[in-house]
Amino acid sequence: MRERVPDDVVEDILARLPVKSLTRFRCVSKSCNSIITDTTFINKHLKLNLNQSESSISANTHSGYLLYTTEDKDGSSSSKELCTVVRNNDRTWTQVSRFEIPSFFDKYMIVAFCNGLFCLASCEKELCHIIYLWNPSIRMCKKLVATRFNRKKNERAAIGFAYDSLNNDFKILRVVCHAMFDESEAEAEIYTLSSDSWRKVVISMQSLRGCEVTEPKLGTIFGVWGPFTFYNGALHAFAHTIGYSFILSFDISDESFHEIMMPRNHYDSDTTNFTKLAEYKGLPADFVFALDDGNKPFGRNLCNIWVMEKYGVAKSWTRKFVIRMEWVWAGNFFGCTNNGELLIKNATGLVSIDPESQNQNILDIEDANWVAFSTNSMESLVLLDGGSFITQNVYTEREREEEEEEKKNSNVCSMDDLGGASGSGGGLDSGSSGDCHSRAT
């Protein structure tokens, strides 16, 4: 007597498989494909992966992941790649994944990523209202069209992207500012993946403080400098009025804006090269890169690291370190690792700098033009239920060969493969039903 394996057991087994296996098992049958592409299953798979990533961090099996984009020296648009390497405890690197970046992203840049999903935006005026979500592990993307505000040529759009764990949703914040000295307030809108829609929200000094603003120096918000950085459950970016600068924070769960004061006297307009917000050992930090060597441009930099030791409390800002280093361009500081090392691209190449010892470590990574650090590097099925498939002709020959090999394997794959992949002893017999529910005697 053969009995049908319960649906929840099959789903539980599938939810523990890696993304690459699941994309192959979609071809087993219509019922398998239906399970794997279902939104509920995708969310379940995501949560299990998040828990697994947290366990890996607790086990201290590695020192985090480095993500970077690179391109061949010939600069051809078909050679750009997104790479992920894991930093082993002996300070060596092991490659985890490598994806070619589709050619139609040539005019776009990565502004943020989380849980296997990348957010890309463009600085070009005609494209600044178009944003892409890209999931390289399943070769799918989603094109988002934001509001085209009636702006002058010197408008700016600051973008933030994060995962709302309380509401199990991915969200994008987009803030568009008017030209300087314009009397209109900045405008903001929020996109939620679950609803696949944008909605406008109010942002002004009055709304931030919850009362009428009487200080004349505050004025209207004319600048928000993105992309936003995410920590402590909120997105953060520098914001400016004519006579005042502060950190604009946006709580990703309750979708409220807040004002965080900057440290006093942290900025000297005569000597400061640039400033950037980043996370330092779990705390918000302001990195101020100033001129050294008698204020000579393109000489050496002084990096002042201000850390807010108690989140949201202005008096807790402390200047922790001052580091002398080679000249750094504004776009070549990429934040910090989880142990507080600065990731910088200078004349030497891509390096990490320990602010305590001020030792510089040269990273064996060439031609990187975008770099980010992450404590986890997970793949997900997000967008599988609503994205657009990226055709294989934008991928490398190596990836085409891998896909052809997967197709060959998929022609003979069965639920025996499923059982073996899940770690069970003898696997699950596919039976004769032709669906995704194996049968047992």
Side-chain angles (χ1 to χ4, degrees), residues 200-440:
K200 295 182 180 180
V201 290
V202 175
I203 174 175
S204 65
M205 292 306 302
Q206 182 172 334
S207 64
L208 287 174
R209 297 192 169 185
C211 61
E212 183 177 354
V213 177
T214 58
E215 299 173 64
K217 71 173 186 177
L218 293 183
T220 59
I221 299 172
F222 73 81
V224 177
W225 304 97
F228 284 79
T229 57
F230 182 74
Y231 47 83
N232 201 49
L235 293 165
H236 302 77
F238 287 125
H240 307 275
T241 67
I242 294 176
Y244 180 60
S245 297
F246 63 99
I247 297 174
L248 176 67
S249 74
F250 174 75
D251 189 295
I252 201 69
S253 295
D254 66 19
E255 299 183 357
S256 59
F257 288 98
H258 302 277
E259 169 195 6
I260 298 178
M261 294 182 64
M262 299 293 298
R264 291 181 177 274
N265 304 319
H266 77 294
Y267 182 92
D268 183 345
S269 59
D270 293 329
T271 61
T272 298
N273 179 16
F274 69 93
T275 65
K276 189 169 182 178
L277 286 177
E279 184 178 356
Y280 176 79
K281 293 186 176 181
L283 297 171
D286 179 16
F287 293 79
V288 183
F289 289 79
L291 302 177
D292 198 6
D293 290 343
N295 297 343
K296 294 179 181 179
F298 314 115
R300 291 179 65 82
N301 275 158
L302 282 176
C303 178
N304 298 271
I305 304 178
W306 293 80
V307 178
M308 179 176 267
E309 297 185 327
K310 189 174 181 180
Y311 182 78
V313 179
K315 292 182 178 180
S316 70
W317 281 110
T318 304
R319 185 164 65 174
K320 300 281 286 187
F321 306 102
V322 179
I323 309 173
R324 281 183 168 82
M325 62 178 67
E326 296 180 41
W327 178 266
V328 179
W329 292 98
N332 287 341
F333 170 56
F334 303 107
C336 298
T337 65
N338 60 338
N339 61 2
E341 293 182 13
L342 281 65
L343 293 170
I344 287 173
K345 186 177 180 180
N346 56 26
T348 307
L350 184 62
V351 301
S352 64
I353 299 176
D354 184 341
E356 297 184 15
S357 67
Q358 302 201 10
N359 291 332
Q360 175 176 289
N361 178 39
I362 300 175
L363 306 180
D364 189 22
I365 296 174
E366 297 182 356
D367 303 318
N369 48 37
W370 171 86
V371 180
F373 179 84
S374 177
T375 53
N376 68 69
S377 176
M378 57 175 286
E379 296 182 342
S380 71
L381 297 171
V382 178
L383 298 187
L384 193 59
D385 56 342
S388 300
F389 182 70
I390 301 174
T391 55
Q392 68 178 29
N393 60 356
V394 300
Y395 287 94
T396 61
E397 185 64 31
R398 172 180 56 80
E399 287 179 304
R400 289 195 193 99
E401 291 174 358
E402 289 180 358
E403 183 163 303
E404 289 301 318
E405 184 64 27
E406 287 178 17
K407 286 181 178 179
K408 291 178 183 178
N409 294 333
S410 68
N411 290 333
V412 295
C413 66
S414 68
M415 295 308 292
D416 288 329
D417 298 324
L418 175 59
S422 66
S424 59
L428 297 176
D429 180 13
S430 62
S432 59
S433 64
D435 64 13
C436 199
H437 304 87
S438 58
R439 300 178 185 274

Side-chain angles (χ1 to χ4, degrees), residues 151 175-178 183-188 201-204 220-224:
R151 294 287 181 268
V175 180
V176 177
C177 296
H178 287 262
E183 294 183 357
S184 301
E185 294 285 359
E187 296 187 72
V201 290
V202 175
I203 174 175
S204 65
T220 59
I221 299 172
F222 73 81
V224 177

Side-chain angles (χ1 to χ4, degrees), residues 108-250:
Y108 288 80
M109 60 183 178
I110 298 173
V111 294
F113 69 96
C114 64
N115 302 341
L117 210 56
F118 291 77
C119 180
L120 296 92
S122 177
C123 292
E124 296 194 9
K125 182 180 178 182
E126 295 304 315
L127 298 174
C128 67
H129 67 293
I130 299 175
I131 299 172
Y132 281 95
L133 292 178
W134 176 43
N135 186 335
S137 60
I138 59 172
R139 301 183 179 184
M140 300 195 78
C141 69
K142 189 175 183 67
K143 181 180 179 181
L144 312 176
V145 181
T147 303
R148 298 200 70 168
F149 295 109
N150 184 21
R151 294 287 181 268
K152 298 180 181 179
K153 63 180 179 181
N154 51 349
E155 68 183 26
R156 290 185 62 91
I159 295 173
F161 173 62
Y163 174 68
D164 177 5
S165 58
L166 292 180
N167 297 301
N168 188 35
D169 206 352
F170 289 86
K171 296 180 180 180
I172 297 174
L173 170 66
R174 180 172 179 261
V175 180
V176 177
C177 296
H178 287 262
M180 190 174 181
F181 307 118
D182 194 300
E183 294 183 357
S184 301
E185 294 285 359
E187 296 187 72
E189 56 184 349
I190 302 166
Y191 172 84
T192 54
L193 184 59
S194 61
S195 66
D196 189 23
S197 62
W198 293 89
R199 56 190 176 81
K200 295 182 180 180
V201 290
V202 175
I203 174 175
S204 65
M205 292 306 302
Q206 182 172 334
S207 64
L208 287 174
R209 297 192 169 185
C211 61
E212 183 177 354
V213 177
T214 58
E215 299 173 64
K217 71 173 186 177
L218 293 183
T220 59
I221 299 172
F222 73 81
V224 177
W225 304 97
F228 284 79
T229 57
F230 182 74
Y231 47 83
N232 201 49
L235 293 165
H236 302 77
F238 287 125
H240 307 275
T241 67
I242 294 176
Y244 180 60
S245 297
F246 63 99
I247 297 174
L248 176 67
S249 74
F250 174 75

